[in-house]
Amino acid sequence: MRHFIKTTFILGAMLLLAWSCNNDDDNGDTQLPALDIVETAQATADLSNLVAALTTADQSPNNNLIATLSGDGPFTVLAPTNQAFGDLLASLAPVGLGSLADFDTEAEQDLLAAILSYHVIGSAVLSTQLTDGQVVATSQGESLTVSTESGVSFTDASGEASNVSAADITTSNGVVHVIDRVLLPQVALDAVAALQASAKNIVEVAQETADLSSLVAALVKADESPNNDLVTTLSGDGPFTVLAPTNAAFTSLFERLEGYSSLDDFDTEAEQDLLAAILSYHVISGAAVTADQLDGSDVTTVLQEDLGVSIEGGVSFIDAASESALVTTADVITSNGVVHIIDKVLIPQAAIDALNGVILFPITNLAILNPNLSSLVAALQAADGDLPTVLAGNGPFTVLAPTNAAFEAFLDGTPLSEIPTAVLTQVLLNHVIPGEVTATDLMMAGTGYTNTLAAGPVADTNISIYYDATDGVEFNGVSSVIAADIKALNGIVHVVDTVIDIPNIVDHAVANDNFTSLVGALTSDSNTVDFVSVLSSTEKVYTVFAPVNSAFAAFTNPDGNALQDILLNHVIGGTVATAGSLSNGYANTLATYAENENLSIYINTDDGVTLNGISAVVVADVIASNGVIHAVDTVIDLPTVTTFAVADPTFSTLATALTTLTPATDFAGILSRTNVGNADAINPPYTVFAPTNDAFDALDAIPGENNLTRILRHHVGGPGNIRSEDLVEGNNILHTLQGDDLTVVVPGMGDNIANITDGAGNTDIGIIAVDVQANNGVIHVINKVMIPEVLGAN
């Protein structure tokens, strides 16, 4: 109605203008409007296709329509709208006449002229002069039948009616009635039928399209079974809509089919029937559905299975495995339907069932196809929006897929929607191992660790997962594989019976049978520290050096230290120190000296990682939610001053001086004491100023035993465990075992933390590192050997 009003208004205004311009005010005569039929059409926007059609037809030397309709007349013209011409051309597209530009031969232009002449009556006939059932002759020579039952309409040779939408538009040489459909004479119907008979059908179009050669070959292969006749069917009347996979799409399909590397492998009748089912899933029968007619609703194929349709971001079709095929070329019109070229072979449910275990799907789609993994699918959808996309990527991945029962136990009545998205995402990522790991791979390895995609407690770390394949396959000691090695397009799936939560340090210790002695020690009733609570906490992170069972078996605890103190000496608090981040130097453990001074631990990375010179890391970087575990081969007892002197290669000359070069004095034994009450009264705690190797190298020569003994005694000050925080600003006097004094000046000069004046009066001695805390004293590192008073200035 809006279109009718707009058209009538435009034409009415135009004609009123023409009438007023020709009105003779002097004599009162009313003249005819100035515009003829052609000019009227040219001035009407919705008749531009009619004008273009007249111009195209007149390209043939046999036609002169524009001149005729611009002549005296009178004529009645039935003028099809632009939409009417659009509909006609769309119907003629299968025969190669989808636009006016396609009428490029004389015969085609004469055909167009015949159609246009069929819209011209050789007299001026108003709508009010027409009667129901009246037969009117046209300039083309064939007749039209009039109907006035419900408005005015004209019926053509095909029996189809065209309705008048704007009537009685008077021109200088006749009258125009605007109609909503192009009328076709019998001569045009015959011509179109002849063109259709010679036009290419779907199969012929596919045969002439290089990128559809695999589709043609597949149709032929399927028809080798006596049960199929696809080529003949798709060459028939139709109409059909065919979704045509490219050659690359078929190549991709063969890469996913175990045992089917080409069409030649479909060599049995059953396999050819299966191929026919797959191909039939790409055919919609009874309609030629162009891309613009798709609205996102499912469509039903010849196989009687539905295909999902998406029109977001282009047109795509979704198969039974929830995989999408994108339309790369739409609306290839044929004589018996329409073809849309797609980038993937669509798989029906019938093929999925028949090819179970043979066809490979991306991991996410594989989960969708397994009803026992529906909870996993729901969890993936509820988690981070990118997670399903990640698992649909190239991979490869190994996914540990919990069953519905596993999720039910994990949720324990809590709705999935109440699990924080970030938490759920990390739990799911904890079931994904990068790379493809088969059950055989695990059984060959026996036990060990790998990493999942779950994020660790610090950047660039991922949570570790422990596997034990000595009797079946188990992960983290809680989840067993109940179905292994389910192949996917981008990896492999193992179905597991328990959801694997993000492990903390204690979880990892409990899971690994090599840590049973450690777990027993951590839970010993003799401990006053609740190690389970401490090392399970997420409020702080830890680095744990975890002795294996053989380490505990070999440990005799020679100093009788409390078990809980020894265990604390294996834990560094507040940091996640992976093997790659470690370097030679000291850290503090949770074990403490008398007044809460944390004991030091010396780390050496020159050849692997060793602790305090006695304990080597045998398995590094077991990442937990609250830290990292390094398995070690020796229990790390509480260190003495001697421990660090021997362990730290910076003090190798000092260690030699304390032992080999002074055999008459048991310096190593003395500085290893942890108890008091010795007869010689050389009792801990000790404050030791330890010269570096460079400090000894600066001497002209290392003195003989007697003087060296005096010098070494001069490096032990006190009394007590004097740490850097115990020193006041200014001068601090410390008495030495040698019997003279040291003056420690705080702060030091230059890079020195403090400076020392030794017994001989040397003032250029610098303290360069402080507070290496042992269980029987503290070490401060100095850059020059100190000389006692008895030996005078050096």
Side-chain angles (χ1 to χ4, degrees):
M1 178 60 73
R2 291 177 62 192
H3 172 73
F4 172 79
I5 293 171
K6 179 178 178 182
T7 302
T8 304
F9 175 77
I10 292 172
L11 290 172
M14 178 188 69
L15 295 174
L16 177 61
L17 177 63
W19 176 83
S20 63
C21 290
N22 288 277
N23 186 41
D24 189 339
D25 292 335
D26 293 333
N27 57 27
D29 292 339
T30 301
Q31 299 179 359
L32 289 174
L35 300 181
D36 61 35
I37 289 173
V38 173
E39 291 170 331
T40 298
Q42 291 170 333
T44 305
D46 203 27
L47 299 180
S48 59
N49 282 351
L50 172 60
V51 175
L54 291 166
T55 302
T56 299
D58 278 358
Q59 291 177 10
S60 166
N62 303 318
N63 308 318
N64 198 13
L65 296 178
I66 292 177
T68 299
L69 294 176
S70 299
D72 293 338
F75 305 105
T76 298
V77 172
L78 310 178
T81 62
N82 289 347
Q83 181 61 53
F85 271 100
D87 292 342
L88 172 67
L89 294 171
S91 69
L92 294 178
V95 295
L97 299 175
S99 71
L100 289 172
D102 292 328
F103 289 80
D104 54 5
T105 67
E106 184 177 312
E108 291 167 341
Q109 293 157 359
D110 290 346
L111 172 63
L112 182 59
I115 293 172
L116 295 171
S117 298
Y118 193 50
H119 294 72
V120 181
I121 301 169
S123 60
V125 182
L126 296 174
S127 62
T128 55
Q129 298 172 318
L130 296 168
T131 60
D132 191 48
Q134 179 181 356
V135 177
V136 295
T138 70
S139 295
Q140 184 266 339
E142 296 184 39
S143 298
L144 294 167
T145 302
V146 178
S147 172
T148 59
E149 288 185 0
S150 178
V152 177
S153 64
F154 295 88
T155 300
D156 64 9
S158 70
E160 298 288 334
S162 180
N163 300 309
V164 173
S165 58
D168 302 335
I169 301 170
T170 305
T171 72
S172 65
N173 62 342
V175 63
V176 173
H177 304 299
V178 179
I179 59 175
D180 64 0
R181 179 179 166 274
V182 176
L183 299 160
L184 295 177
Q186 187 62 49
V187 65
L189 296 174
D190 293 342
V192 170
L195 288 172
Q196 288 175 332
S198 63
K200 294 178 175 60
N201 60 42
I202 288 171
V203 173
E204 292 168 330
V205 167
Q207 288 170 334
E208 294 186 0
T209 305
D211 203 25
L212 298 181
S213 60
S214 293
L215 171 61
V216 174
L219 291 168
V220 173
K221 172 59 72 172
D223 280 358
E224 290 180 7
S225 166
N227 303 317
N228 309 316
D229 198 10
L230 295 178
V231 172
T232 301
T233 299
L234 294 177
S235 300
D237 292 337
F240 303 105
T241 300
V242 171
L243 312 178
T246 62
N247 293 346
F250 274 97
T251 298
S252 176
L253 174 66
F254 295 138
E255 289 173 351
R256 299 168 57 190
L257 287 173
E258 295 288 313
Y260 294 86
S261 58
S262 71
L263 288 169
D264 293 337
D265 293 322
F266 289 83
D267 53 5
T268 68
E269 182 177 316
E271 290 169 330
Q272 291 155 3
D273 289 345
L274 173 61
L275 181 60
I278 294 173
L279 295 172
S280 298
Y281 193 49
H282 293 73
V283 181
I284 302 164
S285 182
V289 184
T290 57
D292 60 355
Q293 294 173 319
L294 296 166
D295 60 3
S297 301
D298 290 356
V299 294
T300 302
T301 70
V302 167
L303 193 62
Q304 296 304 305
E305 284 195 30
D306 286 342
L307 274 174
V309 180
S310 172
I311 57 175
E312 295 183 7
V315 177
S316 58
F317 295 89
I318 300 94
D319 65 13
S322 298
E323 296 187 335
S324 295
L326 180 68
V327 173
T328 57
T329 301
D331 300 340
V332 180
I333 304 299
T334 72
S335 64
N336 62 341
V338 62
V339 173
H340 304 295
I341 298 176
I342 57 176
D343 66 355
K344 190 179 187 68
V345 176
L346 299 160
I347 307 298
Q349 187 62 51
I352 293 171
D353 296 339
L355 294 169
N356 185 27
V358 174
I359 188 166
L360 304 180
F361 295 100
I363 288 170
T364 46
N365 301 73
L366 198 64
I368 292 170
L369 295 171
N370 189 334
N372 196 33
L373 300 179
S374 59
S375 294
L376 172 60
V377 174
L380 288 169
Q381 294 169 342
D384 187 300
D386 291 335
L387 188 52
T389 303
V390 169
L391 294 182
N394 292 331
F397 306 105
T398 298
V399 172
L400 313 177
T403 62
N404 293 344
F407 268 100
E408 183 178 0
F410 174 71
L411 294 171
D412 193 25
T414 302
L416 187 63
S417 59
E418 293 184 11
I419 304 296
T421 299
V423 173
L424 180 60
T425 299
Q426 290 305 310
V427 170
L428 292 173
L429 287 172
N430 195 45
H431 292 74
V432 183
I433 300 168
E436 187 171 297
V437 183
T438 66
T440 301
D441 294 333
L442 295 171
M443 286 185 284
M444 290 180 65
T447 61
Y449 291 93
T450 187
N451 292 95
T452 71
L453 293 186
V458 294
D460 299 323
T461 62
N462 291 93
I463 296 295
S464 299
I465 191 167
Y466 177 71
Y467 58 85
D468 184 343
T470 55
D471 183 15
V473 180
E474 188 177 59
F475 292 95
N476 281 4
V478 297
S479 188
S480 297
V481 172
I482 57 177
D485 297 341
I486 302 170
K487 291 184 178 180
L489 183 60
N490 57 345
I492 197 165
V493 174
H494 305 298
V495 179
V496 295
D497 62 1
T498 305
V499 173
I500 308 166
D501 206 350
I502 305 293
N504 57 42
I505 288 171
V506 172
D507 294 329
H508 270 316
V510 171
N512 190 338
D513 286 343
N514 282 317
F515 293 140
T516 54
S517 295
L518 173 62
V519 172
L522 291 172
T523 56
S524 170
D525 291 338
S526 65
N527 294 322
T528 58
V529 175
D530 183 356
F531 282 102
V532 173
S533 296
V534 170
L535 297 179
S536 298
S537 173
T538 57
E539 296 180 0
K540 195 173 183 180
V541 293
Y542 304 93
T543 298
V544 175
F545 299 102
V548 296
N549 293 343
S550 59
F552 273 99
F555 182 59
T556 61
N557 195 7
D559 294 329
N561 292 315
L563 178 60
Q564 71 168 20
D565 293 335
I566 294 172
L567 294 174
L568 288 169
N569 195 48
H570 291 74
V571 182
I572 299 172
T575 187
V576 179
T578 60
S581 68
L582 295 173
S583 59
N584 290 1
Y586 292 89
N588 291 329
T589 72
L590 295 187
T592 58
Y593 180 65
E595 297 181 1
N596 298 321
E597 296 94 347
N598 291 93
L599 297 184
S600 299
I601 188 168
Y602 177 68
I603 301 167
N604 186 284
T605 60
D606 292 338
D607 183 15
V609 178
T610 57
L611 295 310
N612 284 357
I614 60 168
S615 186
V617 171
V618 292
V619 177
D621 296 340
V622 178
I623 305 296
S625 61
N626 61 340
V628 61
I629 297 173
H630 304 293
V632 295
D633 63 1
T634 305
V635 173
I636 308 167
D637 202 357
L638 303 186
T640 65
V641 170
T642 301
T643 301
F644 294 128
V646 173
D648 190 342
T650 303
F651 303 135
S652 61
T653 305
L654 174 62
T656 301
L658 291 170
T659 55
T660 306
L661 300 181
T662 54
T665 306
D666 185 13
F667 280 113
I670 293 170
L671 295 178
S672 296
R673 292 175 181 171
T674 57
N675 60 330
V676 297
N678 293 288
D680 58 8
I682 305 177
N683 294 315
Y686 309 107
T687 299
V688 174
F689 296 93
T692 64
N693 293 342
D694 289 341
F696 277 100
D697 289 343
L699 296 175
D700 292 336
I702 295 179
E705 181 175 1
N706 288 338
N707 286 339
L708 183 56
T709 299
R710 294 186 181 100
I711 289 172
L712 294 175
R713 290 171 61 88
H714 190 57
H715 286 75
V716 181
N721 188 79
I722 302 172
R723 293 171 59 85
S724 59
E725 61 264 26
D726 298 325
L727 300 174
V728 300
E729 186 173 350
N731 293 341
N732 297 265
I733 306 301
L734 279 66
H735 193 63
T736 73
L737 290 181
Q738 177 58 26
D740 48 10
D741 294 331
L742 302 173
T743 301
V744 181
V745 182
V746 180
M749 299 179 64
D751 294 334
N752 297 335
I753 298 169
N755 279 94
I756 300 176
T757 301
D758 63 15
N762 298 305
T763 61
D764 58 345
I765 304 157
I767 298 178
I768 57 176
V770 297
D771 300 336
V772 177
Q773 184 64 60
N775 193 40
N776 64 341
V778 65
I779 296 174
H780 305 296
V781 183
I782 58 176
N783 60 7
K784 188 174 181 181
V785 176
M786 298 189 295
I787 307 300
E789 182 179 7
V790 68
L791 296 181
N794 192 22

